[in-house]
């Protein structure tokens, strides 16, 4: 696919729909040049076409058997692989991210789709529970009760600026919603409209090839917030997945809560991912140096534009901590800024970095060099202490990009107090040695109450897509700490339980049917029984 | 325990706290007489004592091993059984419900606690997932990632008027929250303050005997809505469980959503539980008569004051439906009203019944007789058709008590349209014969999108407490369709996932420890493996 084949329009249930609310272009952030074609934007009253189609597609789509739904997800992955070269090229132009990063992100995206295809075929997400009838029970017989999870209905997914593939058109929310049996409407991010279209067309093609109702997927372009609010308010929409700013996320939460029928919003918003360097981690030759290297790499990769970038590092006071701080200064000195995703994001980074630098008790610790393009500011590390940190919530403001704050602390109880002052986070990282185990044990429950993922002796960037991953956490990291946006548990965010009591056998849906035709693992009277893949 | 031993005060972490915001009494609804003692009400600034105690109790309580937490739940059940006689007597006086019903409800309450004790000991709610490290993976090694569910934190539970035991102080929400590892603060319902105190003291006694931090449980009395709002707004509170009116429930939802850190509200509010009588169910001698008998029993039991009372019955037009309607008229004729829970509830019933009767196209079909007390209005069944029903949302207003609306329909597509016009419901009931199977299959997906439980050839009242039950459903039946307030799945509403990446073995919490010391079932690389009770 080349630029010439991009239509520049929304894609509603397999059909191109020109918008009537103006146009937008992608820009190459390396030189702020506009990229062809222009994309027409839907007016608020045009998005109903997408929600109506999704609503129409829902009954047939949710009824698909596991093989067909799984095949659809696999086919989407195939379709994306088939356009990989054009896709990566376009994404590079629209985001300034490197080819290696975007190739990796493409692989992650298709692996994610295939992983959810496996989840669909395995079927544990049906959550089948059976309490068989007890006709002889006294004083009253017990009825036969069967439970399964059903999909919520059409889901709106907002593409994220910083992951044009893995958190956008065919990203995690789309994959998990489709896996759950929910049609998806993607609101394209205006920073990468062409990337969105290439992926959107791949999905639509997969639906056509798999003979699935085309309303199962639509891709809409619109003028910023208004169309997103219209989608979140539409009565046919049953859930929202979002990755982006705290302001936009909380605004969607408010819209969803104010509907006549409120719906869940899964917004991933803001996280500064504290790192706790415990004293033992700095002992030994080269330890401080190696840690500083890891930190600078994690902070500056992808220009720091990762939800899990380490924006806060607690470093012990004293000589060892001083050596670590000095190593950061030294290492960052010759690191050049990389091009950020958009001019707006680069400007917001500068504003945020300036605001943080201006806070009382904050000093500059390290600075890299400006990068080769107009939107590649020098990475920055500031420094303060826990006293200043605990008293000033402004020091927790996320500066999206390569900026971080080193906070010097004096002991484990000082860290406990600092954790209690923290807002909810996606991740927390401990750097520790055996000698730090008691301190880490003291911190662990505090961290469990504050974050979604706890790491040791690594860096939070680079989120594994698997069964055990949690990419979530207490507000404002996300709007709903009970779920994750990465990993297979994410399918559960788009499901709800239904119980069937004494239904005639001919009426029971397959997942709860008496002869278990889909060979699902089930809980029978509360006891897990393996009947599926796991029993082999 | 006798009235003389009731203190008439809130119970904060095992200690009596007199309130400064006036007093309230329970009333015997059979004669509207006030019951001693008066209960002192906490002012808004006094409830912090309870939330602070819960917050303090949380770290130790969440860390209890399964045996100790399970033993605590069992001990609460024992403590309640030990006061059963006084408890039932006091509850009868405060609610007008029968001894048989309250004895049954006590048994249900203690069974529920013991069931959750078993859930705690089995441990599936930890939701353990392990993706083992793959050090040899390319291009990057895979880290070791482990996931488990952790408790949200202190939970506020609002006692319900209509289940003074099973949905109140030691009811379903309290049992599931304590099972999950969350301290509980119960806001007593002012209609049964003495019943609440007897149960509350039993819980506090169990905590003391089990040497659990007393802040794990508090019982507060307060002046209606304001104290409830103060509790829902308290930053130490992490979730709310509520059963009651739509107005109060949506008000709590708004408060929780407007907090600096929003929290989940599980409100069960409003449901009229449609029943669909399909033509085959009326065929055969005596079928209409038997169905009418079942309906009248379900409608008038407990004076219709059940969340799942059948407030809406779809009956086919034509002769068979006419015979069924006539049988309802005949059967209800000599059914006397039973005493309702409070004078206010009886008055609200009358207002609601009058409003429904006055709607265009609604006629009276059947009426019982007034009961022997001042608060025992005659049960009422009204009648209309689908045309009137679909056009007028007022016909879906819940009239809490023994009032129901028969809606005559003309065919299965007419029913489909009616279902689509329905608000979310806790239950839907099908009465059908083999000849109705195709029609029922047509209705089933529509019902799945609309309700939490689907029954066949029974009545929705009488909710089983088991592993497969769903007592929930789309708004306004509840605030959150992704969960249930009855049955063991309810434990999940008070949990959230946390992932651990590459933690040293000495730092891993027991549920995710390498040697699986609690013998939990786990998902390893997505595959369910039995290691616990289920593997025996």
């Amino acid at each position: 696919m080349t630029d010439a084949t991009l239509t520049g329009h929304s894609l509603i249930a397999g059909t191109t729909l020109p918008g009537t609310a103006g146009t937008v272009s992608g820009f190459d952030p390396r030189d702020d040049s506009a990229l062809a074609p222009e994309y027409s934007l839907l007016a608020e009253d045009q998005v109903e076409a997408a929600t109506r189609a999704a609503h129409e597609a829902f009954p047939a789509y949710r009824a698909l058997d596991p093989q067909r739904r799984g095949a659809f997800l696999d086919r989407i992955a195939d379709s994306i692989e088939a356009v990989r070269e054009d896709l990566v090229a376009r994404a590079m132009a629209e985001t300034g991210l490197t080819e290696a990063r975007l190739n990796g992100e493409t692989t992650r995206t298709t692996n994610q789709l295939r992983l959810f295809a496996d989840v669909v075929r395995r079927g544990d997400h049906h959550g089948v529970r059976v309490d068989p009838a007890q006709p002889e029970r006294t004083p009253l017989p017990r009825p036969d009760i069967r439970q399964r999870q059903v999909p919520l209905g059409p889901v709106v997914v907002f593409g994220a600026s910083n992951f044009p593939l893995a958190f956008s058109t065919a990203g995690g929310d789309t994959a998990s919603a489709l896996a759950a049996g929910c049609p998806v409407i993607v609101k394209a991010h205006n920073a990468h409209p062409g990337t969105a279209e290439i992926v959107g067309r791949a999905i639509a093609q997969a639906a056509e090839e798999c003979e699935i109702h085309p309303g199962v997927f639509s891709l809409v372009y619109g003028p910023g917030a208004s169309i997103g609010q219209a989608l979140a308010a539409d009565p046919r929409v049953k859930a929202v997945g979002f990755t982006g700013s705290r302001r936009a996320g909380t605004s969607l939460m408010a819209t969803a809560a104010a509907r006549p029928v409120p719906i869940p919003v899964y917004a991933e918003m803001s996280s500064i991912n504290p790192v706790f360097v415990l004293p033992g981690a700095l002992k030994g030759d080269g330890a401080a140096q190696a840690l500083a290297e890891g930190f600078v790499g994690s902070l500056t990769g992808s220009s720091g534009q990762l939800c899990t970038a380490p924006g806060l590092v607690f470093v012990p006071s004293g000589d060892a901590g001083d050596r670590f701080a000095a190593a950061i200064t030294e290492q960052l000195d010759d690191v050049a800024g990389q091009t950020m995703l958009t001019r707006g994001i680069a400007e917001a980074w500068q504003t945020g970095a300036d605001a943080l630098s201006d806070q009382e008790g904050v000093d500059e610790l390290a600075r890299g060099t400006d990068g080769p393009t107009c939107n590649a500011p020098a990475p920055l590390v500031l420094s303060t202490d826990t006293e200043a940190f605990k008293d000033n919530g402004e020091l927790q403001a996320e500066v999206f990009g390569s900026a971080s704050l080193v906070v010097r602390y004096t002991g484990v109880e000082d860290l406990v107090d600092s954790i209690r002052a923290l807002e909810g986070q996606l991740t927390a990282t401990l750097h520790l040695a055996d000698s730090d185990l008691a301190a880490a044990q003291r911190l662990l429950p505090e961290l469990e109450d504050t974050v979604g993922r706890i790491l040791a002796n690594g860096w939070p960037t680079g989120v594994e897509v698997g069964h055990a991953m949690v990419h979530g956490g207490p507000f404002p990291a996300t709007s709903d700490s009970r779920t994750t946006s990465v990993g297979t548990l994410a399918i559960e965010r788009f499901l709800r339980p239904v119980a069937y009591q004494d239904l005639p056998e001919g009426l029971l849906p397959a997942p709860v049917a008496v002869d278990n035709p889909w060979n699902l693992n089930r809980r029978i009277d509360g006891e897990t029984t393996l009947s599926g893949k796991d029993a082999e």
Side-chain angles (χ1 to χ4, degrees), chain A:
Chain A
M1 190 177 298
T2 66
D3 287 0
T5 70
L6 292 174
T7 68
H9 299 299
S10 295
L11 177 66
I12 309 292
T15 301
T16 297
L17 178 65
T20 62
T23 61
V24 74
S25 293
F27 286 85
D28 187 330
R30 292 168 293 196
D31 59 7
D32 286 341
S33 61
L35 296 163
E38 289 193 322
Y39 276 78
S40 72
L41 303 175
L42 297 188
E44 274 183 54
D45 62 359
Q46 291 186 290
V47 298
E48 211 197 26
T51 60
R52 202 166 44 231
H55 178 76
E56 286 168 10
F58 182 47
Y61 185 63
R62 60 169 287 207
L64 285 187
D65 66 50
Q67 299 308 322
R68 284 198 61 201
R69 199 187 293 166
F72 174 44
L73 291 165
D74 281 338
R75 187 67 68 99
I76 296 172
D78 295 342
S79 292
I80 292 172
E81 288 295 353
V83 295
R84 176 186 278 261
E85 204 174 324
D86 287 344
L87 178 58
V88 168
R90 178 75 192 192
M92 285 172 67
E94 288 184 330
T95 66
L97 296 169
T98 65
E99 183 170 6
R101 150 72 195 263
L102 289 166
N103 255 317
E105 196 182 326
T106 303
T107 302
R108 173 175 165 176
T109 303
T110 55
N111 280 351
Q112 196 159 261
L113 287 157
R114 294 190 208 282
L115 180 65
F116 275 108
D118 286 343
V119 166
V120 166
R121 284 186 285 255
R122 186 182 291 274
D124 284 333
H125 66 286
H126 292 288
V128 177
R129 293 167 170 234
V130 180
D131 294 345
Q134 295 175 350
E136 313 299 334
R137 190 185 66 173
T138 55
L140 289 172
R142 186 171 85 166
D144 177 275
I145 305 184
R146 289 156 191 271
Q147 180 185 122
R148 69 150 167 167
Q149 300 281 331
V150 299
L152 292 177
V155 172
V156 169
V157 173
F158 290 79
S161 63
N162 61 336
F163 277 89
L165 302 163
F167 281 84
S168 288
T169 313
D173 276 336
T174 297
S176 57
L178 290 176
C182 299
V184 170
I185 298 149
V186 171
K187 159 70 176 69
H189 199 288
N190 286 347
H192 52 253
T195 305
E197 185 181 353
I198 296 172
V199 177
R201 294 198 172 267
I203 300 175
Q205 185 190 328
E208 191 181 348
E209 288 169 358
C210 295
E211 297 182 349
I212 287 172
H213 189 301
V216 73
F217 176 79
S218 291
L219 174 68
V220 303
Y221 297 88
S226 66
I227 201 176
Q229 296 293 338
L231 285 165
D234 188 293
R236 299 175 200 85
V237 171
K238 302 303 182 192
V240 170
F242 170 86
T243 307
S245 74
R246 185 163 172 176
R247 198 172 67 173
T250 52
S251 164
L252 286 170
M253 289 167 70
T255 297
R259 292 165 49 121
V261 175
I263 56 171
V265 170
Y266 303 110
E268 188 208 311
M269 295 177 288
S270 171
S271 184
I272 53 175
N273 306 298
V275 175
F276 301 87
V277 178
L278 301 185
L282 295 172
K283 284 187 188 145
D285 286 351
Q289 203 67 23
L291 262 188
E293 197 174 323
F295 166 63
V296 167
S298 181
L299 177 65
T300 60
S302 295
S303 203
Q305 300 164 127
L306 303 173
C307 329
T308 53
L312 192 63
V313 188
F314 289 89
V315 175
S317 57
D319 289 350
D322 289 348
R323 278 196 301 277
F324 176 54
I328 293 173
T329 306
E330 187 188 332
Q331 301 244 1
L332 197 64
D333 190 48
D334 53 3
V335 174
Q338 298 169 28
T339 305
M340 297 192 78
L341 294 159
T342 68
R343 181 175 183 160
I345 287 174
E347 287 171 353
W349 180 89
Q350 194 62 60
T351 305
D354 290 348
L356 196 55
S357 304
D358 288 347
Q359 295 295 316
E360 179 93 18
V362 171
D363 300 307
E364 182 173 315
L365 174 66
R367 186 186 282 273
T369 61
D370 286 336
T373 71
C374 52
N375 295 312
L380 178 68
V381 177
L382 303 167
S383 176
T384 190
D385 58 26
T386 49
E387 200 175 339
F389 178 78
K390 285 182 279 197
D391 286 349
N392 183 359
E394 296 297 319
L395 298 190
Q396 295 189 44
E398 185 185 27
V399 181
F400 187 70
S402 295
S404 188
L405 179 64
V406 165
V407 183
R408 306 297 296 269
Y409 72 91
T410 54
V412 67
E413 292 309 316
D414 193 22
L415 283 183
V416 168
D417 292 342
S418 298
I419 294 171
R420 290 180 181 169
L422 277 172
E423 295 190 304
Q425 306 289 339
L426 293 171
T427 72
T429 302
L430 294 165
H431 281 278
L432 78 167
D434 289 350
S435 55
D436 300 309
L437 205 60
Q441 280 163 339
R442 173 83 179 91
L443 301 180
L444 195 68
E446 303 286 341
L447 294 176
E448 288 171 336
D449 282 348
T450 310
V451 314
R453 177 167 56 112
I454 301 166
L455 309 79
N457 296 329
W459 297 97
T461 46
V463 180
E464 277 293 325
V465 181
H467 300 283
M469 177 51 65
V470 176
H471 190 66
F475 185 91
T478 78
S479 55
D480 189 337
S481 69
R482 295 164 294 175
T483 176
T484 174
S485 63
V486 175
T488 60
L489 185 71
I491 193 171
E492 296 186 6
R493 53 170 54 186
F494 299 118
L495 299 169
R496 47 173 277 265
V498 171
Y500 306 85
Q501 181 171 326
D502 279 341
L503 253 59
E505 289 198 18
L507 199 48
L508 285 169
V512 289
V514 174
D515 60 351
N516 194 12
W518 290 0
N519 294 312
L520 301 175
N521 297 329
R522 304 183 294 182
R523 289 201 206 178
I524 299 179
D525 268 331
E527 183 177 324
T528 301
T529 59
L530 304 183
S531 333
K533 237 175 156 176
D534 301 342
E536 283 162 15

